[in-house]
Protein backbone atom coordinates (compact mmCIF):
# COMPACT_ATOMS: atom_id res chain seq x y z
CA UNK A 1 0.00 0.00 0.00
CA UNK A 2 1.66 3.25 -1.11
CA UNK A 3 1.85 6.68 0.43
CA UNK A 4 -0.51 9.09 -1.27
CA UNK A 5 0.99 12.54 -0.89
CA UNK A 6 -2.19 14.25 -2.10
CA UNK A 7 -4.18 12.68 0.68
CA UNK A 8 -1.82 13.73 3.44
CA UNK A 9 -1.90 17.27 2.02
CA UNK A 10 -5.65 17.38 2.67
CA UNK A 11 -4.99 16.74 6.36
CA UNK A 12 -2.29 19.35 6.87
CA UNK A 13 -3.44 22.73 8.23
CA UNK A 14 -3.17 25.14 5.26
CA UNK A 15 -1.59 27.92 7.35
CA UNK A 16 1.23 25.69 8.59
CA UNK A 17 4.71 26.91 7.62
CA UNK A 18 6.05 25.24 4.47
CA UNK A 19 9.06 23.89 6.37
CA UNK A 20 6.80 22.12 8.87
CA UNK A 21 4.55 20.82 6.09
CA UNK A 22 7.60 19.36 4.36
CA UNK A 23 8.91 17.72 7.52
CA UNK A 24 5.49 16.26 8.26
CA UNK A 25 5.20 14.77 4.76
CA UNK A 26 8.72 13.38 4.78
CA UNK A 27 8.43 12.12 8.34
CA UNK A 28 5.30 10.16 7.54
CA UNK A 29 6.53 8.99 4.15
CA UNK A 30 9.20 6.95 5.96
CA UNK A 31 6.49 4.57 7.15
CA UNK A 32 5.10 3.71 3.74
CA UNK A 33 5.63 0.14 2.67
CA UNK A 34 8.56 0.78 0.33
CA UNK A 35 10.55 2.38 3.18
CA UNK A 36 9.39 0.01 5.87
CA UNK A 37 12.68 -1.73 6.63
CA UNK A 38 14.83 1.41 6.72
CA UNK A 39 15.82 3.16 9.91
CA UNK A 40 13.59 6.11 10.69
CA UNK A 41 14.61 9.68 11.38
CA UNK A 42 12.69 11.30 14.18
CA UNK A 43 13.93 14.89 14.03
CA UNK A 44 11.31 17.57 14.79
CA UNK A 45 9.24 15.02 16.68
CA UNK A 46 8.73 17.18 19.79
CA UNK A 47 7.60 20.79 20.13
CA UNK A 48 10.23 23.38 20.91
CA UNK A 49 7.70 25.71 22.50
CA UNK A 50 5.64 25.06 25.59
CA UNK A 51 1.91 25.71 25.99
CA UNK A 52 0.47 26.45 29.41
CA UNK A 53 -2.15 23.71 29.06
CA UNK A 54 -2.05 20.03 28.19
CA UNK A 55 -2.24 18.86 24.59
CA UNK A 56 -3.28 15.52 23.21
CA UNK A 57 -0.14 13.42 22.92
CA UNK A 58 1.67 15.14 25.79
CA UNK A 59 4.12 13.05 27.79
CA UNK A 60 3.33 13.68 31.47
CA UNK A 61 5.25 12.65 34.58
CA UNK A 62 4.04 10.31 37.30
CA UNK A 63 0.32 9.70 36.95
CA UNK A 64 -1.51 7.01 38.87
CA UNK A 65 -2.53 3.74 37.25
CA UNK A 66 -4.36 0.79 38.80
CA UNK A 67 -1.96 -2.10 38.25
CA UNK A 68 -2.90 -5.70 38.94
CA UNK A 69 -0.46 -7.52 41.19
CA UNK A 70 -0.34 -11.19 40.19
CA UNK A 71 1.17 -12.19 43.54
CA UNK A 72 -1.38 -10.58 45.86
CA UNK A 73 -4.30 -10.78 43.44
CA UNK A 74 -5.07 -7.12 44.19
CA UNK A 75 -4.91 -3.89 42.29
CA UNK A 76 -2.07 -1.65 43.35
CA UNK A 77 -1.72 2.08 42.77
CA UNK A 78 1.49 2.71 40.85
CA UNK A 79 2.78 5.87 39.22
CA UNK A 80 3.93 5.86 35.60
CA UNK A 81 4.88 8.53 33.15
CA UNK A 82 1.94 8.71 30.74
CA UNK A 83 0.88 9.67 27.24
CA UNK A 84 -2.28 11.80 27.06
CA UNK A 85 -4.66 9.97 24.73
CA UNK A 86 -7.68 12.25 25.18
CA UNK A 87 -8.38 15.06 22.79
CA UNK A 88 -7.00 18.47 23.79
CA UNK A 89 -10.42 20.14 24.00
CA UNK A 90 -11.81 17.28 26.10
CA UNK A 91 -9.09 17.97 28.66
CA UNK A 92 -9.53 21.75 28.68
CA UNK A 93 -11.20 22.81 31.93
CA UNK A 94 -13.02 25.67 30.21
CA UNK A 95 -14.90 23.07 28.19
CA UNK A 96 -17.89 22.52 30.45
CA UNK A 97 -19.59 19.18 30.03
CA UNK A 98 -22.93 18.05 31.40
CA UNK A 99 -21.28 14.84 32.43
CA UNK A 100 -17.74 15.19 33.75
CA UNK A 101 -15.20 13.94 31.28
CA UNK A 102 -12.36 11.73 32.25
CA UNK A 103 -8.90 11.82 30.80
CA UNK A 104 -7.55 8.71 29.05
CA UNK A 105 -3.89 7.87 29.55
CA UNK A 106 -1.46 5.25 28.26
CA UNK A 107 1.48 4.01 30.27
CA UNK A 108 4.92 5.07 29.11
CA UNK A 109 7.64 2.50 29.59
CA UNK A 110 11.24 3.72 29.40
CA UNK A 111 13.01 1.95 26.53
CA UNK A 112 16.07 1.26 28.67
CA UNK A 113 13.96 -0.73 31.13
CA UNK A 114 12.47 -2.69 28.22
CA UNK A 115 16.01 -3.43 26.97
CA UNK A 116 16.99 -4.62 30.46
CA UNK A 117 13.95 -6.88 30.50
CA UNK A 118 14.87 -8.39 27.11
CA UNK A 119 18.34 -9.16 28.52
CA UNK A 120 16.91 -10.57 31.74
CA UNK A 121 14.69 -12.95 29.75
CA UNK A 122 17.65 -13.81 27.49
CA UNK A 123 15.64 -12.99 24.36
CA UNK A 124 17.71 -14.10 21.38
CA UNK A 125 16.26 -11.73 18.79
CA UNK A 126 16.34 -8.67 21.04
CA UNK A 127 18.05 -6.51 18.42
CA UNK A 128 15.40 -7.39 15.84
CA UNK A 129 12.61 -6.58 18.32
CA UNK A 130 14.17 -3.19 19.04
CA UNK A 131 14.41 -2.43 15.32
CA UNK A 132 10.73 -3.35 14.89
CA UNK A 133 9.82 -1.08 17.79
CA UNK A 134 11.80 1.87 16.44
CA UNK A 135 10.27 1.36 12.99
CA UNK A 136 6.76 1.43 14.56
CA UNK A 137 6.00 -2.13 13.42
CA UNK A 138 4.01 -3.15 16.50
CA UNK A 139 0.47 -1.83 16.15
CA UNK A 140 -0.21 -1.43 19.88
CA UNK A 141 3.02 0.37 20.74
CA UNK A 142 4.05 3.90 19.85
CA UNK A 143 7.81 4.34 19.99
CA UNK A 144 8.75 7.79 21.27
CA UNK A 145 12.26 8.82 20.21
CA UNK A 146 14.85 10.49 22.47
CA UNK A 147 13.48 13.63 24.08
CA UNK A 148 15.37 16.62 25.45
CA UNK A 149 16.34 14.51 28.46
CA UNK A 150 17.66 11.82 26.05
CA UNK A 151 15.02 9.34 27.22
CA UNK A 152 13.09 7.07 24.86
CA UNK A 153 9.70 5.60 25.72
CA UNK A 154 7.18 3.03 24.56
CA UNK A 155 3.51 4.04 24.85
CA UNK A 156 1.41 0.93 25.30
CA UNK A 157 -2.07 1.36 23.77
CA UNK A 158 -3.39 -1.82 25.41
CA UNK A 159 -2.81 -0.59 28.95
CA UNK A 160 -4.93 2.52 29.43
CA UNK A 161 -6.59 4.13 32.42
CA UNK A 162 -8.58 7.24 33.22
CA UNK A 163 -8.30 9.98 35.81
CA UNK A 164 -10.56 12.94 36.43
CA UNK A 165 -10.00 15.98 34.25
CA UNK A 166 -9.60 18.13 37.37
CA UNK A 167 -6.87 15.84 38.64
CA UNK A 168 -4.84 16.44 35.50
CA UNK A 169 -5.52 20.15 35.27
CA UNK A 170 -4.21 20.83 38.76
CA UNK A 171 -0.82 19.85 37.32
CA UNK A 172 -0.94 22.92 35.06
CA UNK A 173 0.32 24.92 38.06
CA UNK A 174 3.78 23.51 37.43
CA UNK A 175 3.31 22.35 33.88
CA UNK A 176 6.95 22.85 32.93
CA UNK A 177 7.92 20.35 35.61
CA UNK A 178 5.01 17.98 35.09
CA UNK A 179 5.19 17.74 31.30
CA UNK A 180 8.07 15.85 29.73
CA UNK A 181 7.34 16.86 26.14
CA UNK A 182 4.61 17.88 23.71
CA UNK A 183 4.48 16.40 20.23
CA UNK A 184 5.18 18.58 17.20
CA UNK A 185 3.20 18.00 13.99
CA UNK A 186 5.20 14.96 12.83
CA UNK A 187 4.98 13.27 16.23
CA UNK A 188 1.34 14.20 16.70
CA UNK A 189 0.19 12.96 13.28
CA UNK A 190 2.15 9.74 13.66
CA UNK A 191 0.52 9.22 17.08
CA UNK A 192 -3.00 9.86 15.75
CA UNK A 193 -2.52 7.61 12.71
CA UNK A 194 -1.17 4.81 14.86
CA UNK A 195 -3.94 5.19 17.42
CA UNK A 196 -6.51 5.14 14.60
CA UNK A 197 -4.96 2.04 13.07
CA UNK A 198 -4.87 0.21 16.38
CA UNK A 199 -8.44 0.96 17.43
CA UNK A 200 -10.35 1.63 14.21
CA UNK A 201 -9.12 -0.71 11.53
CA UNK A 202 -11.84 -2.10 9.33
CA UNK A 203 -12.88 -4.62 8.23
CA UNK A 204 -12.53 -6.96 11.15
CA UNK A 205 -10.81 -10.25 10.48
CA UNK A 206 -13.86 -12.07 11.74
CA UNK A 207 -17.55 -12.22 10.92
CA UNK A 208 -20.11 -11.12 13.45
CA UNK B 1 -29.88 1.19 27.69
CA UNK B 2 -33.17 1.98 25.99
CA UNK B 3 -35.42 4.64 27.43
CA UNK B 4 -39.05 4.46 26.60
CA UNK B 5 -41.80 6.95 27.17
CA UNK B 6 -44.23 5.29 29.51
CA UNK B 7 -47.16 6.75 27.60
CA UNK B 8 -46.00 5.93 24.09
CA UNK B 9 -46.48 2.75 22.13
CA UNK B 10 -43.01 1.51 21.25
CA UNK B 11 -44.32 -0.26 18.19
CA UNK B 12 -44.64 3.11 16.50
CA UNK B 13 -41.53 3.68 14.41
CA UNK B 14 -40.76 7.26 15.49
CA UNK B 15 -42.42 9.70 17.75
CA UNK B 16 -42.26 13.32 18.78
CA UNK B 17 -40.78 15.29 20.40
CA UNK B 18 -38.25 13.96 22.87
CA UNK B 19 -36.62 10.68 21.97
CA UNK B 20 -36.19 8.71 18.79
CA UNK B 21 -35.12 5.14 19.30
CA UNK B 22 -32.62 3.52 16.99
CA UNK B 23 -34.64 0.34 17.17
CA UNK B 24 -38.07 1.10 18.46
CA UNK B 25 -39.39 -2.43 18.64
CA UNK B 26 -40.39 -3.54 22.11
CA UNK B 27 -38.16 -6.47 23.02
CA UNK B 28 -39.61 -7.68 26.29
CA UNK B 29 -42.72 -7.26 28.38
CA UNK B 30 -40.87 -6.23 31.51
CA UNK B 31 -38.48 -3.47 32.50
CA UNK B 32 -35.65 -3.30 34.99
CA UNK B 33 -34.60 0.19 35.99
CA UNK B 34 -30.95 0.42 36.94
CA UNK B 35 -30.23 3.74 38.69
CA UNK B 36 -26.48 3.23 38.32
CA UNK B 37 -26.37 3.00 34.58
CA UNK B 38 -28.53 5.76 33.13
CA UNK B 39 -29.12 9.45 33.36
CA UNK B 40 -32.35 11.38 33.27
CA UNK B 41 -31.24 14.91 32.61
CA UNK B 42 -34.33 16.91 31.94
CA UNK B 43 -37.89 17.30 33.05
CA UNK B 44 -38.85 15.22 30.03
CA UNK B 45 -37.15 12.30 31.72
CA UNK B 46 -39.84 11.84 34.33
CA UNK B 47 -42.01 10.03 31.82
CA UNK B 48 -39.33 7.59 30.80
CA UNK B 49 -38.24 4.28 32.19
CA UNK B 50 -35.34 2.01 31.35
CA UNK B 51 -36.41 -0.89 29.17
CA UNK B 52 -33.13 -2.70 28.65
CA UNK B 53 -29.39 -2.22 28.51
CA UNK B 54 -28.32 -1.35 25.02
CA UNK B 55 -26.91 1.77 23.44
CA UNK B 56 -28.66 5.02 22.75
CA UNK B 57 -27.02 8.36 22.17
CA UNK B 58 -28.67 11.33 23.76
CA UNK B 59 -28.01 14.88 22.75
CA UNK B 60 -27.70 16.23 26.25
CA UNK B 61 -27.91 19.84 25.20
CA UNK B 62 -31.16 19.44 23.30
CA UNK B 63 -32.65 16.66 25.37
CA UNK B 64 -33.39 14.30 22.52
CA UNK B 65 -31.71 11.61 20.53
CA UNK B 66 -29.20 12.84 18.03
CA UNK B 67 -26.36 10.98 16.40
CA UNK B 68 -23.15 12.70 17.48
CA UNK B 69 -20.94 10.53 15.35
CA UNK B 70 -20.51 10.58 11.63
CA UNK B 71 -17.71 9.78 9.26
CA UNK B 72 -16.57 12.94 7.53
CA UNK B 73 -14.10 13.08 4.69
CA UNK B 74 -11.35 13.93 7.17
CA UNK B 75 -12.17 10.94 9.41
CA UNK B 76 -12.16 8.75 6.35
CA UNK B 77 -8.79 10.09 5.25
CA UNK B 78 -7.27 9.56 8.69
CA UNK B 79 -8.36 5.93 8.65
CA UNK B 80 -7.15 5.48 5.08
CA UNK B 81 -3.77 7.05 5.85
CA UNK B 82 -3.35 5.01 9.00
CA UNK B 83 -3.90 1.87 6.96
CA UNK B 84 -1.39 3.01 4.38
CA UNK B 85 1.24 3.69 7.03
CA UNK B 86 0.78 0.70 9.32
CA UNK B 87 -0.83 -1.95 7.14
CA UNK B 88 0.50 -5.34 8.15
CA UNK B 89 1.74 -4.29 11.58
CA UNK B 90 0.67 -6.61 14.38
CA UNK B 91 0.40 -6.31 18.16
CA UNK B 92 3.50 -7.18 20.16
CA UNK B 93 3.49 -10.83 21.22
CA UNK B 94 5.58 -13.74 22.45
CA UNK B 95 8.82 -13.06 24.32
CA UNK B 96 8.72 -9.40 23.31
CA UNK B 97 5.40 -9.03 25.11
CA UNK B 98 6.73 -10.88 28.14
CA UNK B 99 9.63 -8.44 28.25
CA UNK B 100 7.22 -5.54 27.94
CA UNK B 101 5.14 -6.81 30.86
CA UNK B 102 8.27 -7.22 32.95
CA UNK B 103 9.34 -3.70 32.01
CA UNK B 104 5.93 -2.36 33.08
CA UNK B 105 6.29 -4.00 36.49
CA UNK B 106 9.76 -2.52 36.87
CA UNK B 107 8.88 1.00 35.77
CA UNK B 108 5.91 1.63 38.08
CA UNK B 109 6.67 3.73 41.18
CA UNK B 110 4.95 3.02 44.49
CA UNK B 111 5.16 6.67 45.57
CA UNK B 112 5.30 9.78 43.41
CA UNK B 113 8.22 12.17 43.67
CA UNK B 114 6.19 15.15 42.48
CA UNK B 115 3.42 17.02 44.28
CA UNK B 116 -0.35 17.21 43.64
CA UNK B 117 -0.66 13.47 42.93
CA UNK B 118 -3.62 11.57 44.39
Amino acid sequence: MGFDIDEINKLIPPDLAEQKKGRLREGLRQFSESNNSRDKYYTDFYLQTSFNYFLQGDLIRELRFPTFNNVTGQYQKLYFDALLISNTCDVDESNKNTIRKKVVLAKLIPLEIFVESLKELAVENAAEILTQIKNQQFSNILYLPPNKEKNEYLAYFDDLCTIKKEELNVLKEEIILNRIESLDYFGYYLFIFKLSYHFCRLPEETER
Amino acid sequence: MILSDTHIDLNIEKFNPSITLHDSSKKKDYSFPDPNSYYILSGAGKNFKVMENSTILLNLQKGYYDNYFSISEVNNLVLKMSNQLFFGSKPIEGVAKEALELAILKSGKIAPTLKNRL
Side-chain angles (χ1 to χ4, degrees):
Chain A
M1 207 174 279
F3 179 83
D4 190 334
I5 199 74
D6 291 332
E7 296 204 310
I8 190 65
N9 283 339
K10 290 179 194 168
L11 296 172
I12 298 176
D15 54 347
L16 192 64
E18 281 304 320
Q19 187 187 0
K20 286 209 167 194
K21 282 183 186 172
R23 178 65 193 120
L24 176 54
R25 284 189 208 102
E26 292 313 307
L28 293 174
R29 196 197 292 272
Q30 298 179 94
F31 297 91
S32 61
E33 194 177 35
S34 56
N35 296 322
N36 210 19
S37 58
R38 294 184 192 166
D39 287 346
K40 309 295 185 265
Y41 294 96
Y42 287 103
T43 49
D44 303 312
F45 197 83
Y46 299 109
L47 267 181
Q48 298 300 311
T49 52
S50 184
F51 288 75
N52 61 0
Y53 51 88
F54 289 109
L55 300 167
Q56 186 177 31
D58 273 3
L59 287 66
I60 306 169
R61 292 184 211 280
E62 294 185 358
L63 295 176
R64 65 183 171 92
F65 281 77
T67 306
F68 190 72
N69 185 319
N70 286 323
V71 177
T72 62
Q74 307 252 325
Y75 279 96
Q76 187 178 10
K77 182 169 68 172
L78 294 177
Y79 294 85
F80 292 83
D81 295 337
L83 182 74
L84 179 56
I85 301 287
S86 293
N87 198 279
T88 303
C89 59
D90 285 346
V91 175
D92 186 352
E93 59 193 341
S94 65
N95 187 2
K96 303 292 180 195
N97 309 106
T98 311
I99 299 172
R100 282 187 178 179
K101 288 242 180 191
K102 286 195 168 185
V103 175
V104 184
L105 305 164
K107 280 177 188 166
L108 288 177
I109 301 111
L111 184 71
E112 60 178 0
I113 296 184
F114 179 66
V115 172
E116 279 173 25
S117 301
L118 287 170
K119 283 182 190 162
E120 198 172 320
L121 295 174
V123 176
E124 287 180 5
N125 60 337
E128 185 188 340
I129 290 168
L130 288 173
T131 301
Q132 287 176 308
I133 280 180
K134 291 185 178 183
N135 287 344
Q136 308 287 1
Q137 288 172 316
F138 291 118
S139 60
N140 51 353
I141 287 178
L142 177 70
Y143 165 71
L144 293 153
N147 56 35
K148 57 180 177 283
E149 296 165 356
K150 312 292 181 202
N151 294 322
E152 298 160 88
Y153 286 100
L154 312 181
Y156 189 29
F157 290 157
D158 285 346
D159 201 347
L160 308 179
C161 89
T162 62
I163 60 170
K164 285 182 181 173
K165 188 165 82 170
E166 293 77 6
E167 190 179 334
L168 178 70
N169 279 319
V170 79
L171 305 185
K172 289 198 303 188
E173 284 176 19
E174 290 186 295
I175 198 163
I176 302 288
L177 180 64
N178 288 317
R179 178 166 52 206
I180 303 166
E181 291 281 9
S182 290
L183 302 178
D184 204 340
Y185 277 94
F186 169 38
Y188 178 63
Y189 274 58
L190 189 71
F191 159 57
I192 293 296
F193 285 136
K194 197 150 197 191
L195 196 67
S196 303
Y197 182 76
H198 182 54
F199 285 110
C200 306
R201 57 186 179 271
L202 284 173
E204 284 186 305
E205 290 178 0
T206 183
E207 290 183 12
R208 59 170 68 204
Chain B
M1 177 181 73
I2 288 182
L3 298 175
S4 78
D5 188 310
T6 50
H7 305 298
I8 292 178
D9 182 357
L10 285 176
N11 292 317
I12 297 171
E13 185 62 29
K14 288 184 176 178
F15 47 84
N16 229 2
S18 295
I19 289 181
T20 301
L21 295 175
H22 177 61
D23 176 4
S24 62
S25 60
K26 192 174 180 180
K27 305 281 180 163
K28 293 186 175 127
D29 294 332
Y30 57 84
S31 62
F32 44 95
D34 176 3
N36 295 315
S37 65
Y38 68 96
Y39 302 91
I40 300 295
L41 293 167
S42 74
K46 66 185 179 184
N47 292 329
F48 291 82
K49 63 183 176 181
V50 176
M51 295 302 293
E52 66 180 76
N53 284 321
S54 179
T55 302
I56 187 168
L57 303 172
L58 297 175
N59 183 329
L60 303 174
Q61 278 73 46
K62 296 178 182 174
Y64 59 79
Y65 170 81
D66 188 15
N67 194 345
Y68 266 163
F69 306 105
S70 61
I71 298 292
S72 68
E73 190 194 6
V74 169
N75 300 137
N76 191 27
L77 272 175
V78 170
L79 292 174
K80 197 173 171 185
M81 282 300 302
S82 66
N83 269 289
Q84 286 181 6
L85 296 174
F86 300 113
F87 183 75
S89 66
K90 299 281 182 195
I92 194 166
E93 58 183 0
V95 286
K97 191 174 179 205
E98 284 177 35
L100 182 69
E101 286 172 353
L102 182 58
I104 290 172
L105 286 177
K106 286 179 171 183
S107 54
K109 294 177 188 167
I110 291 173
T113 60
L114 298 167
K115 67 177 187 180
N116 286 330
R117 266 61 177 179
L118 293 181

